[in-house]
Coordinates of all heavy atoms in Angstrom, one line a residue:
M23 N 19.5 10.7 16.1 CA 18.4 9.7 16.0 C 18.1 9.2 17.4 O 19.0 9.3 18.3 CB 18.8 8.6 15.1 CG 18.9 9.0 13.7 SD 18.9 7.5 12.6 CE 17.4 7.9 11.7
I24 N 16.9 8.7 17.7 CA 16.5 8.3 19.0 C 16.3 6.8 19.0 O 15.5 6.3 18.2 CB 15.2 9.1 19.4 CG1 15.5 10.6 19.4 CG2 14.7 8.7 20.7 CD1 14.3 11.5 19.2
R25 N 16.8 6.2 20.0 CA 16.6 4.7 20.1 C 15.2 4.4 20.6 O 14.8 5.0 21.6 CB 17.7 4.1 21.1 CG 17.5 2.6 21.2 CD 18.4 2.0 22.3 NE 18.2 0.6 22.4 CZ 17.2 0.1 23.1 NH1 16.3 0.8 23.7 NH2 17.0 -1.3 23.1
I26 N 14.6 3.5 19.9 CA 13.2 3.1 20.3 C 13.2 1.8 21.1 O 12.6 1.7 22.1 CB 12.3 3.0 19.1 CG1 12.4 4.3 18.2 CG2 10.8 2.8 19.5 CD1 11.9 5.6 18.9
C27 N 13.7 0.8 20.4 CA 13.7 -0.6 21.1 C 14.7 -1.5 20.3 O 15.3 -1.0 19.4 CB 12.3 -1.2 21.0 SG 11.6 -1.4 19.4
S28 N 14.7 -2.7 20.8 CA 15.6 -3.7 20.1 C 14.8 -4.3 19.0 O 13.6 -4.4 19.0 CB 16.0 -4.7 21.2 OG 16.2 -5.9 20.5
T29 N 15.5 -4.8 17.9 CA 14.8 -5.5 16.8 C 14.0 -6.7 17.3 O 13.0 -7.1 16.8 CB 15.7 -5.9 15.7 OG1 16.8 -6.6 16.3 CG2 16.3 -4.7 15.0
E30 N 14.6 -7.3 18.4 CA 13.9 -8.5 19.0 C 12.6 -8.2 19.6 O 11.8 -9.1 19.8 CB 14.8 -9.1 20.0 CG 16.1 -9.8 19.4 CD 17.0 -10.3 20.5 OE1 16.7 -10.2 21.7 OE2 18.1 -10.7 20.1
D31 N 12.3 -7.0 19.9 CA 11.0 -6.6 20.5 C 9.9 -6.4 19.5 O 8.8 -6.1 19.8 CB 11.2 -5.3 21.3 CG 12.1 -5.4 22.4 OD1 12.3 -6.5 23.0 OD2 12.7 -4.4 22.8
L32 N 10.3 -6.5 18.2 CA 9.4 -6.2 17.1 C 9.4 -7.3 16.0 O 10.1 -7.1 15.0 CB 9.7 -4.8 16.6 CG 8.7 -4.1 15.7 CD1 7.4 -3.8 16.4 CD2 9.3 -2.7 15.2
P33 N 8.7 -8.4 16.3 CA 8.7 -9.4 15.3 C 8.1 -9.0 13.9 O 7.3 -8.0 13.9 CB 7.8 -10.5 15.9 CG 7.7 -10.2 17.3 CD 7.9 -8.7 17.4
K34 N 8.5 -9.7 12.9 CA 8.0 -9.3 11.5 C 6.5 -9.4 11.5 O 5.9 -10.3 12.1 CB 8.6 -10.4 10.6 CG 8.5 -10.1 9.1 CD 9.4 -11.1 8.4 CE 9.1 -11.1 6.9 NZ 10.1 -12.0 6.3
G35 N 5.9 -8.4 10.9 CA 4.5 -8.3 10.7 C 3.8 -7.6 11.9 O 2.6 -7.6 12.0
T36 N 4.6 -7.0 12.8 CA 4.0 -6.3 14.0 C 4.3 -4.9 14.0 O 5.2 -4.4 13.2 CB 4.4 -7.0 15.3 OG1 5.8 -6.8 15.4 CG2 4.1 -8.4 15.4
V37 N 3.5 -4.2 14.8 CA 3.7 -2.7 14.9 C 3.6 -2.3 16.4 O 2.8 -3.0 17.1 CB 2.6 -2.0 14.1 CG1 1.2 -2.5 14.4 CG2 2.6 -0.5 14.3
V38 N 4.4 -1.4 16.8 CA 4.3 -0.8 18.2 C 4.1 0.7 18.1 O 4.6 1.3 17.1 CB 5.5 -1.2 19.1 CG1 5.6 -2.6 19.4 CG2 6.8 -0.6 18.5
S39 N 3.5 1.2 19.1 CA 3.5 2.7 19.2 C 4.6 3.2 20.1 O 4.9 2.5 21.1 CB 2.1 3.2 19.7 OG 2.0 2.8 21.0
A40 N 5.2 4.3 19.8 CA 6.2 4.8 20.6 C 6.0 6.3 20.7 O 5.6 7.0 19.8 CB 7.6 4.5 20.0
D41 N 6.3 6.9 21.9 CA 6.3 8.3 22.1 C 7.8 8.8 21.9 O 8.6 8.4 22.7 CB 5.8 8.6 23.5 CG 5.7 10.1 23.7 OD1 6.8 10.8 23.5 OD2 4.7 10.6 24.1
V42 N 8.0 9.5 20.8 CA 9.4 9.9 20.5 C 9.4 11.4 20.7 O 9.0 12.2 19.9 CB 9.8 9.6 19.0 CG1 11.2 9.9 18.8 CG2 9.5 8.1 18.8
D43 N 10.0 11.8 21.9 CA 10.0 13.2 22.2 C 8.7 13.9 22.1 O 8.6 15.0 21.5 CB 11.1 13.9 21.4 CG 12.5 13.8 22.0 OD1 12.6 13.3 23.1 OD2 13.4 14.3 21.3
G44 N 7.6 13.2 22.5 CA 6.3 13.8 22.4 C 5.5 13.6 21.1 O 4.4 14.0 21.0
T45 N 6.2 13.0 20.1 CA 5.5 12.7 18.8 C 5.1 11.2 18.8 O 6.0 10.3 19.0 CB 6.5 13.0 17.7 OG1 6.8 14.3 17.7 CG2 5.8 12.6 16.3
P46 N 3.8 10.9 18.6 CA 3.4 9.5 18.5 C 3.9 8.9 17.2 O 3.6 9.4 16.1 CB 1.9 9.6 18.6 CG 1.5 11.0 18.1 CD 2.7 11.9 18.4
V47 N 4.6 7.8 17.3 CA 5.2 7.2 16.1 C 4.7 5.7 16.1 O 4.7 5.0 17.1 CB 6.7 7.3 16.1 CG1 7.3 6.4 15.1 CG2 7.2 8.7 16.0
A48 N 4.3 5.2 14.9 CA 4.0 3.8 14.7 C 5.3 3.2 14.1 O 5.7 3.6 13.0 CB 2.8 3.6 13.9
L49 N 5.9 2.3 14.8 CA 7.1 1.6 14.3 C 6.7 0.2 13.9 O 6.1 -0.6 14.6 CB 8.1 1.5 15.5 CG 9.5 1.0 15.1 CD1 10.2 1.9 14.1 CD2 10.3 0.9 16.4
V50 N 7.1 -0.1 12.6 CA 6.6 -1.3 12.0 C 7.7 -2.2 11.5 O 8.7 -1.7 11.0 CB 5.7 -0.9 10.7 CG1 5.2 -2.2 10.0 CG2 4.6 0.0 11.1
H51 N 7.6 -3.5 11.7 CA 8.5 -4.5 11.1 C 7.7 -5.1 10.0 O 6.8 -6.0 10.2 CB 8.9 -5.5 12.1 CG 10.0 -6.4 11.6 ND1 10.6 -7.3 12.4 CD2 10.5 -6.6 10.4 CE1 11.5 -8.0 11.7 NE2 11.5 -7.6 10.5
A52 N 7.9 -4.6 8.8 CA 7.0 -5.0 7.6 C 7.4 -6.3 7.1 O 8.4 -6.9 7.5 CB 7.1 -3.9 6.5
E53 N 6.5 -6.8 6.2 CA 6.7 -8.2 5.7 C 7.8 -8.3 4.7 O 8.2 -9.3 4.2 CB 5.4 -8.7 5.2 CG 4.5 -9.0 6.4 CD 3.0 -9.2 6.1 OE1 2.6 -9.1 4.9 OE2 2.2 -9.4 7.0
D54 N 8.4 -7.1 4.3 CA 9.6 -7.1 3.4 C 10.9 -7.2 4.3 O 12.0 -7.1 3.8 CB 9.7 -5.9 2.5 CG 9.8 -4.6 3.3 OD1 9.8 -4.6 4.5 OD2 10.0 -3.5 2.6
D55 N 10.6 -7.4 5.6 CA 11.7 -7.5 6.6 C 12.4 -6.2 7.0 O 13.3 -6.1 7.7 CB 12.8 -8.5 6.2 CG 13.1 -9.4 7.4 OD1 12.5 -9.3 8.5 OD2 14.1 -10.2 7.3
A56 N 11.9 -5.0 6.4 CA 12.5 -3.7 6.8 C 11.6 -3.1 7.9 O 10.5 -3.5 8.2 CB 12.5 -2.8 5.6
F57 N 12.2 -2.1 8.6 CA 11.6 -1.4 9.6 C 11.2 0.0 9.1 O 11.9 0.6 8.4 CB 12.5 -1.3 10.9 CG 12.8 -2.6 11.5 CD1 13.9 -3.3 11.1 CD2 12.0 -3.1 12.5 CE1 14.2 -4.5 11.7 CE2 12.3 -4.3 13.1 CZ 13.4 -5.0 12.7
Y58 N 10.0 0.4 9.5 CA 9.5 1.7 9.1 C 8.8 2.4 10.2 O 8.4 1.8 11.2 CB 8.4 1.5 8.0 CG 8.9 0.9 6.7 CD1 8.7 -0.5 6.6 CD2 9.5 1.6 5.7 CE1 9.2 -1.1 5.4 CE2 10.0 1.0 4.6 CZ 9.8 -0.4 4.4 OH 10.2 -1.0 3.3
A59 N 8.8 3.8 10.1 CA 8.2 4.6 11.2 C 7.3 5.6 10.5 O 7.7 6.3 9.5 CB 9.2 5.3 12.1
V60 N 6.1 5.8 11.0 CA 5.2 6.8 10.4 C 4.5 7.5 11.6 O 4.5 6.9 12.7 CB 4.1 6.2 9.5 CG1 4.7 5.6 8.3 CG2 3.2 5.2 10.2
Y61 N 4.0 8.7 11.4 CA 3.2 9.4 12.4 C 2.0 8.5 12.8 O 1.3 8.0 11.9 CB 2.8 10.7 11.8 CG 2.1 11.6 12.9 CD1 2.8 12.2 13.9 CD2 0.7 11.8 12.8 CE1 2.2 13.0 14.8 CE2 0.1 12.7 13.8 CZ 0.9 13.2 14.8 OH 0.3 14.0 15.7
D62 N 1.8 8.4 14.1 CA 0.8 7.4 14.6 C -0.6 8.0 14.6 O -1.2 7.9 15.7 CB 1.3 6.8 15.9 CG 0.4 5.6 16.3 OD1 -0.3 5.1 15.4 OD2 0.5 5.1 17.4
E63 N -1.0 8.5 13.5 CA -2.4 8.9 13.4 C -2.8 8.9 12.0 O -2.1 9.5 11.1 CB -2.6 10.4 14.0 CG -4.0 10.8 14.1 CD -4.2 12.1 14.8 OE1 -4.1 12.2 16.0 OE2 -4.4 13.1 14.0
C64 N -3.9 8.3 11.7 CA -4.5 8.3 10.4 C -4.8 9.7 9.9 O -5.1 10.6 10.7 CB -5.8 7.5 10.4 SG -6.5 7.2 8.8
S65 N -4.6 9.9 8.6 CA -4.8 11.3 8.0 C -6.3 11.5 7.8 O -6.7 12.6 7.4 CB -4.0 11.5 6.7 OG -4.5 10.6 5.7
H66 N -7.1 10.5 8.0 CA -8.6 10.6 7.8 C -9.3 11.1 9.0 O -10.2 11.9 9.0 CB -9.1 9.3 7.3 CG -10.6 9.3 7.0 ND1 -11.5 8.4 7.5 CD2 -11.3 10.1 6.2 CE1 -12.7 8.7 7.1 NE2 -12.6 9.7 6.3
A67 N -8.9 10.5 10.2 CA -9.5 10.9 11.5 C -8.5 10.5 12.5 O -7.5 9.8 12.3 CB -10.8 10.2 11.7
A68 N -8.7 11.0 13.8 CA -7.7 10.8 14.8 C -7.7 9.4 15.4 O -8.2 9.2 16.5 CB -8.0 11.8 15.9
V69 N -7.2 8.5 14.6 CA -7.2 7.1 15.0 C -5.7 6.6 14.9 O -5.0 7.0 14.0 CB -8.0 6.2 14.0 CG1 -7.7 4.8 14.2 CG2 -9.5 6.5 14.3
A70 N -5.3 5.9 15.9 CA -3.9 5.4 16.0 C -3.6 4.3 14.9 O -4.3 3.3 14.9 CB -3.5 4.9 17.3
L71 N -2.7 4.6 14.0 CA -2.4 3.6 13.0 C -1.7 2.4 13.6 O -1.8 1.3 13.0 CB -1.5 4.2 11.9 CG -2.2 5.2 11.0 CD1 -1.2 5.8 10.0 CD2 -3.3 4.5 10.2
S72 N -1.1 2.5 14.7 CA -0.4 1.4 15.4 C -1.4 0.4 15.9 O -1.0 -0.7 16.3 CB 0.5 1.9 16.6 OG -0.3 2.6 17.5
E73 N -2.7 0.7 15.9 CA -3.7 -0.3 16.3 C -4.2 -1.0 15.1 O -5.2 -1.8 15.2 CB -4.9 0.4 17.1 CG -4.4 0.9 18.4 CD -5.4 1.8 19.1 OE1 -6.6 1.9 18.7 OE2 -5.0 2.5 20.1
G74 N -3.7 -0.7 13.9 CA -4.1 -1.4 12.7 C -3.3 -2.6 12.4 O -2.5 -3.1 13.2
E75 N -3.4 -3.1 11.2 CA -2.7 -4.3 10.7 C -1.6 -4.0 9.7 O -1.8 -3.2 8.9 CB -3.8 -5.2 10.0 CG -4.9 -5.7 10.9 CD -4.4 -6.8 11.8 OE1 -3.6 -7.7 11.4 OE2 -4.8 -6.8 13.0
V76 N -0.5 -4.8 9.9 CA 0.6 -4.7 8.9 C 0.2 -5.6 7.7 O -0.2 -6.8 7.9 CB 1.9 -5.2 9.5 CG1 3.0 -5.1 8.5 CG2 2.2 -4.3 10.7
E77 N 0.2 -5.1 6.5 CA -0.1 -5.9 5.3 C 1.0 -5.6 4.3 O 1.0 -4.6 3.7 CB -1.5 -5.4 4.7 CG -2.7 -5.9 5.4 CD -3.0 -7.3 4.8 OE1 -2.6 -7.7 3.7 OE2 -3.7 -8.0 5.5
G78 N 1.9 -6.6 4.1 CA 3.0 -6.4 3.2 C 3.8 -5.2 3.7 O 4.4 -5.2 4.8
C79 N 3.9 -4.2 2.8 CA 4.6 -2.9 3.1 C 3.7 -1.8 3.4 O 4.0 -0.6 3.2 CB 5.4 -2.6 1.9 SG 7.1 -2.4 2.3
T80 N 2.5 -2.1 3.9 CA 1.5 -1.1 4.3 C 1.0 -1.3 5.7 O 1.1 -2.4 6.3 CB 0.3 -1.1 3.3 OG1 -0.5 -2.3 3.6 CG2 0.7 -1.0 1.9
L81 N 0.4 -0.2 6.2 CA -0.2 -0.3 7.5 C -1.7 0.1 7.3 O -2.0 1.1 6.7 CB 0.5 0.7 8.5 CG 0.1 0.6 10.0 CD1 0.2 -0.7 10.6 CD2 1.0 1.6 10.7
E82 N -2.6 -0.8 7.7 CA -4.0 -0.6 7.5 C -4.7 0.1 8.7 O -4.5 -0.4 9.8 CB -4.7 -1.9 7.1 CG -6.2 -1.7 6.8 CD -6.8 -3.1 6.4 OE1 -6.3 -3.8 5.6 OE2 -7.9 -3.4 7.1
C83 N -5.4 1.1 8.4 CA -6.2 1.8 9.5 C -7.4 0.9 9.9 O -8.1 0.5 9.0 CB -6.7 3.1 9.1 SG -7.7 4.0 10.3
W84 N -7.6 0.6 11.2 CA -8.6 -0.4 11.5 C -10.0 0.2 11.4 O -11.0 -0.5 11.3 CB -8.4 -0.9 13.0 CG -8.5 0.2 14.0 CD1 -7.4 0.9 14.5 CD2 -9.6 0.7 14.7 NE1 -7.8 1.8 15.4 CE2 -9.2 1.7 15.6 CE3 -11.0 0.4 14.6 CZ2 -10.1 2.4 16.4 CZ3 -11.9 1.1 15.5 CH2 -11.4 2.1 16.3
L85 N -10.1 1.6 11.4 CA -11.5 2.1 11.4 C -12.2 2.1 10.1 O -13.3 1.6 10.0 CB -11.4 3.6 11.9 CG -12.7 4.2 12.3 CD1 -13.5 3.4 13.2 CD2 -12.6 5.6 12.8
H86 N -11.5 2.6 9.0 CA -12.2 2.6 7.7 C -11.4 1.8 6.6 O -11.8 1.8 5.5 CB -12.5 4.0 7.2 CG -13.3 4.8 8.2 ND1 -12.8 5.9 8.8 CD2 -14.5 4.6 8.7 CE1 -13.7 6.4 9.6 NE2 -14.8 5.6 9.6
G87 N -10.3 1.3 7.0 CA -9.6 0.4 6.1 C -8.6 1.0 5.1 O -8.1 0.3 4.2
S88 N -8.3 2.3 5.2 CA -7.3 2.9 4.3 C -6.0 2.3 4.7 O -5.7 2.0 5.8 CB -7.2 4.4 4.5 OG -8.2 5.1 3.7
R89 N -5.2 2.0 3.6 CA -3.8 1.5 3.9 C -2.8 2.5 3.5 O -2.9 3.2 2.4 CB -3.6 0.2 3.0 CG -4.3 -1.0 3.5 CD -3.9 -2.1 2.7 NE -4.8 -3.3 2.9 CZ -4.8 -4.4 2.2 NH1 -4.0 -4.5 1.2 NH2 -5.6 -5.3 2.6
F90 N -1.8 2.6 4.3 CA -0.7 3.6 4.0 C 0.6 2.9 3.7 O 1.0 2.0 4.4 CB -0.5 4.5 5.3 CG -1.7 5.4 5.6 CD1 -2.7 4.9 6.3 CD2 -1.7 6.7 5.0 CE1 -3.8 5.7 6.6 CE2 -2.9 7.5 5.3 CZ -3.9 7.0 6.0
D91 N 1.1 3.3 2.5 CA 2.4 2.7 2.1 C 3.5 3.2 3.0 O 3.7 4.4 3.2 CB 2.7 3.2 0.6 CG 3.9 2.4 0.1 OD1 5.0 2.4 0.8 OD2 3.8 1.9 -1.1
L92 N 4.2 2.3 3.7 CA 5.2 2.7 4.7 C 6.4 3.3 4.1 O 7.2 4.0 4.9 CB 5.6 1.4 5.5 CG 4.4 0.9 6.3 CD1 4.7 -0.6 6.7 CD2 4.2 1.7 7.6
R93 N 6.6 3.2 2.8 CA 7.8 3.9 2.2 C 7.5 5.3 1.9 O 8.4 6.1 1.9 CB 8.2 3.1 1.0 CG 8.6 1.7 1.3 CD 8.6 0.7 0.1 NE 7.2 0.5 -0.3 CZ 6.8 -0.5 -1.0 NH1 7.7 -1.4 -1.5 NH2 5.6 -0.6 -1.4
T94 N 6.3 5.6 1.5 CA 6.0 7.0 1.0 C 5.0 7.7 1.9 O 4.8 8.9 1.8 CB 5.3 6.9 -0.4 OG1 4.1 6.1 -0.2 CG2 6.3 6.2 -1.3
G95 N 4.2 7.0 2.8 CA 3.2 7.6 3.6 C 1.9 7.8 2.9 O 0.9 8.2 3.4
Q96 N 1.9 7.5 1.6 CA 0.7 7.7 0.8 C -0.4 6.6 1.0 O -0.1 5.4 1.1 CB 1.0 7.7 -0.7 CG 1.9 8.8 -1.2 CD 1.2 10.1 -1.3 OE1 -0.1 10.2 -1.3 NE2 1.9 11.2 -1.3
P97 N -1.7 7.1 1.1 CA -2.7 6.1 1.2 C -2.9 5.4 -0.1 O -2.8 6.0 -1.2 CB -4.0 6.9 1.6 CG -3.7 8.3 1.1 CD -2.2 8.4 1.1
T98 N -3.1 4.1 -0.1 CA -3.3 3.3 -1.3 C -4.8 3.2 -1.6 O -5.1 2.6 -2.7 CB -2.6 1.9 -1.2 OG1 -3.3 1.2 -0.2 CG2 -1.2 2.0 -0.9
G99 N -5.6 3.6 -0.7 CA -7.1 3.5 -1.0 C -7.8 4.4 -0.1 O -7.4 4.9 0.9
L100 N -9.1 4.7 -0.5 CA -10.0 5.6 0.2 C -10.4 4.9 1.5 O -10.3 3.7 1.6 CB -11.2 5.9 -0.6 CG -10.9 6.8 -1.9 CD1 -12.1 6.8 -2.7 CD2 -10.4 8.2 -1.5
P101 N -10.9 5.7 2.5 CA -11.3 7.1 2.4 C -10.1 8.1 2.7 O -10.3 9.3 2.4 CB -12.3 7.3 3.5 CG -11.9 6.3 4.5 CD -11.4 5.1 3.8
A102 N -9.0 7.7 3.2 CA -7.9 8.7 3.4 C -7.4 9.2 2.0 O -7.2 8.3 1.1 CB -6.8 8.1 4.2
T103 N -7.1 10.4 1.9 CA -6.5 11.0 0.7 C -5.2 11.7 0.9 O -4.4 11.9 0.0 CB -7.5 12.0 0.0 OG1 -7.7 13.0 1.0 CG2 -8.8 11.3 -0.4
E104 N -4.9 12.0 2.2 CA -3.6 12.7 2.5 C -2.6 11.7 3.0 O -2.9 10.8 3.7 CB -3.9 13.7 3.6 CG -4.9 14.8 3.2 CD -4.3 15.7 2.1 OE1 -3.1 16.0 2.1 OE2 -5.1 16.1 1.2
P105 N -1.3 12.0 2.7 CA -0.2 11.1 3.2 C 0.0 11.4 4.7 O -0.4 12.4 5.2 CB 1.0 11.5 2.4 CG 0.7 12.9 2.0 CD -0.8 13.0 1.8
V106 N 0.7 10.4 5.4 CA 1.1 10.6 6.8 C 2.6 10.8 6.7 O 3.3 10.3 5.8 CB 0.8 9.4 7.7 CG1 -0.7 9.3 7.9 CG2 1.3 8.1 7.1
P107 N 3.2 11.6 7.7 CA 4.6 11.7 7.8 C 5.4 10.4 7.9 O 4.9 9.5 8.7 CB 4.9 12.6 9.0 CG 3.6 13.3 9.2 CD 2.5 12.3 8.8
V108 N 6.5 10.2 7.2 CA 7.3 9.0 7.3 C 8.6 9.4 7.9 O 9.2 10.4 7.5 CB 7.6 8.4 5.9 CG1 8.5 7.2 6.0 CG2 6.3 7.9 5.3
Y109 N 9.1 8.7 8.9 CA 10.3 9.0 9.6 C 11.4 8.1 9.3 O 11.2 6.8 9.2 CB 10.1 9.1 11.1 CG 9.0 10.0 11.5 CD1 7.8 9.5 12.0 CD2 9.2 11.4 11.4 CE1 6.8 10.4 12.4 CE2 8.2 12.2 11.7 CZ 7.0 11.8 12.3 OH 6.0 12.6 12.6
P110 N 12.7 8.6 9.1 CA 13.8 7.7 8.8 C 14.1 6.7 10.0 O 14.0 7.1 11.1 CB 15.0 8.7 8.6 CG 14.4 10.0 8.3 CD 13.1 10.0 9.1
V111 N 14.4 5.5 9.6 CA 14.7 4.5 10.6 C 16.1 3.9 10.3 O 16.5 3.7 9.1 CB 13.7 3.3 10.5 CG1 14.0 2.2 11.5 CG2 12.3 3.8 10.8
E112 N 16.8 3.6 11.4 CA 18.1 3.0 11.2 C 18.2 1.9 12.2 O 17.8 2.0 13.4 CB 19.2 4.0 11.5 CG 20.1 4.4 10.3 CD 21.2 5.4 10.7 OE1 22.0 5.0 11.5 OE2 21.1 6.5 10.2
V113 N 18.8 0.8 11.8 CA 19.1 -0.3 12.7 C 20.6 -0.4 13.0 O 21.4 -0.5 12.0 CB 18.6 -1.7 12.2 CG1 19.0 -2.8 13.1 CG2 17.1 -1.6 12.0
R114 N 21.0 -0.3 14.2 CA 22.4 -0.3 14.6 C 22.6 -1.3 15.8 O 21.9 -1.1 16.8 CB 22.9 1.1 15.1 CG 23.3 2.0 13.9 CD 23.9 3.3 14.5 NE 23.1 4.4 14.2 CZ 22.8 5.4 15.1 NH1 23.4 5.4 16.3 NH2 22.0 6.4 14.8
D115 N 23.4 -2.3 15.6 CA 23.7 -3.3 16.6 C 22.4 -3.8 17.3 O 22.4 -4.0 18.5 CB 24.6 -2.6 17.7 CG 25.9 -2.2 17.2 OD1 26.4 -2.8 16.3 OD2 26.5 -1.2 17.7
G116 N 21.4 -4.1 16.4 CA 20.2 -4.7 16.9 C 19.3 -3.8 17.6 O 18.2 -4.2 18.1
D117 N 19.5 -2.5 17.5 CA 18.6 -1.5 18.1 C 18.0 -0.7 16.9 O 18.7 -0.4 15.9 CB 19.3 -0.6 19.1 CG 19.7 -1.3 20.4 OD1 18.9 -2.2 20.8 OD2 20.8 -1.1 20.9
I118 N 16.8 -0.2 17.2 CA 16.1 0.6 16.1 C 16.1 2.0 16.6 O 15.7 2.4 17.7 CB 14.6 0.1 15.9 CG1 14.6 -1.4 15.7 CG2 14.0 0.8 14.8 CD1 13.3 -2.0 15.7
Y119 N 16.5 2.9 15.6 CA 16.6 4.3 15.9 C 15.7 5.1 14.9 O 15.6 4.7 13.7 CB 18.0 4.9 15.7 CG 19.0 4.3 16.8 CD1 19.5 3.1 16.6 CD2 19.3 5.1 17.8 CE1 20.4 2.6 17.5 CE2 20.2 4.6 18.8 CZ 20.8 3.4 18.6 OH 21.7 2.9 19.6
V120 N 15.0 6.1 15.3 CA 14.2 6.9 14.5 C 14.6 8.4 14.6 O 15.0 8.9 15.6 CB 12.7 6.8 15.0 CG1 11.8 7.8 14.3 CG2 12.2 5.3 14.7
S121 N 14.5 9.1 13.4 CA 14.7 10.5 13.4 C 13.3 11.2 13.2 O 12.5 10.6 12.4 CB 15.6 10.9 12.3 OG 15.4 12.2 11.8
L122 N 13.1 12.3 13.8 CA 11.8 13.0 13.7 C 11.7 13.9 12.5 O 10.7 14.7 12.4 CB 11.4 13.7 15.0 CG 11.0 12.8 16.1 CD1 10.7 13.6 17.4 CD2 9.8 11.9 15.8
T123 N 12.7 14.0 11.6 CA 12.6 14.8 10.4 C 12.0 13.9 9.3 O 12.6 13.0 8.8 CB 14.0 15.3 10.0 OG1 14.6 15.9 11.1 CG2 13.9 16.2 8.8
P124 N 10.7 14.2 8.9 CA 10.1 13.3 7.9 C 10.8 13.2 6.6 O 11.3 14.2 6.1 CB 8.7 14.0 7.7 CG 8.5 14.9 8.9 CD 9.9 15.3 9.3
S125 N 11.0 12.0 6.1 CA 11.7 11.7 4.9 C 10.8 12.0 3.7 O 11.3 12.1 2.6 CB 12.2 10.3 4.8 OG 11.1 9.4 5.0
N126 N 9.5 12.1 3.9 CA 8.6 12.4 2.7 C 8.1 13.8 2.7 O 7.3 14.1 1.9 CB 7.5 11.4 2.7 CG 6.5 11.5 3.9 OD1 6.9 12.2 4.9 ND2 5.4 10.9 3.8
G127 N 8.7 14.7 3.5 CA 8.4 16.1 3.5 C 7.0 16.4 4.1 O 6.6 17.6 4.0
V128 N 6.3 15.4 4.6 CA 5.0 15.7 5.2 C 5.1 16.0 6.6 O 5.7 15.2 7.4 CB 4.0 14.4 5.0 CG1 2.7 14.7 5.6 CG2 3.9 14.1 3.5
T129 N 4.5 17.1 7.1 CA 4.6 17.4 8.5 C 3.2 17.5 9.1 O 2.2 17.6 8.3 CB 5.3 18.8 8.7 OG1 4.7 19.7 7.9 CG2 6.8 18.7 8.4
R130 N 3.1 17.5 10.4 CA 1.8 17.6 11.1 C 1.8 18.9 11.8 O 2.8 19.4 12.3 CB 1.7 16.5 12.1 CG 1.6 15.1 11.4 CD 0.4 14.9 10.7 NE -0.8 15.1 11.5 CZ -2.0 14.6 11.3 NH1 -2.2 13.9 10.3 NH2 -3.0 14.9 12.1
Ligands
FES203 S1 -9.9 6.9 10.3 FE1 -8.4 5.9 9.2 S2 -9.4 5.5 7.3 FE2 -10.9 6.6 8.5

């Protein structure tokens, strides 16, 4: 797993973009207090999801408003219909680590 940042750098309800070995990742501190990582591009068009809004356990694309469930990567509403890759996240000693093997089997 690759260390991204400290939990203190990512307050609840916020998202940051990270380049993880060349893969753009949106790292989210969701409103359920868990941390999630998804591929940082909407499955509808080439827009960074990290520029969107955290809503509960979803990340909303700012362009057309599709929301992606951070646990499954599935869009909860149109216009996106395809899931985005979800990456495993671990918190150890106050640091956030991500693995680039998608936990939902979706690859790019
Ligand atoms: S680009 Fe994200 S919903 Fe259209």
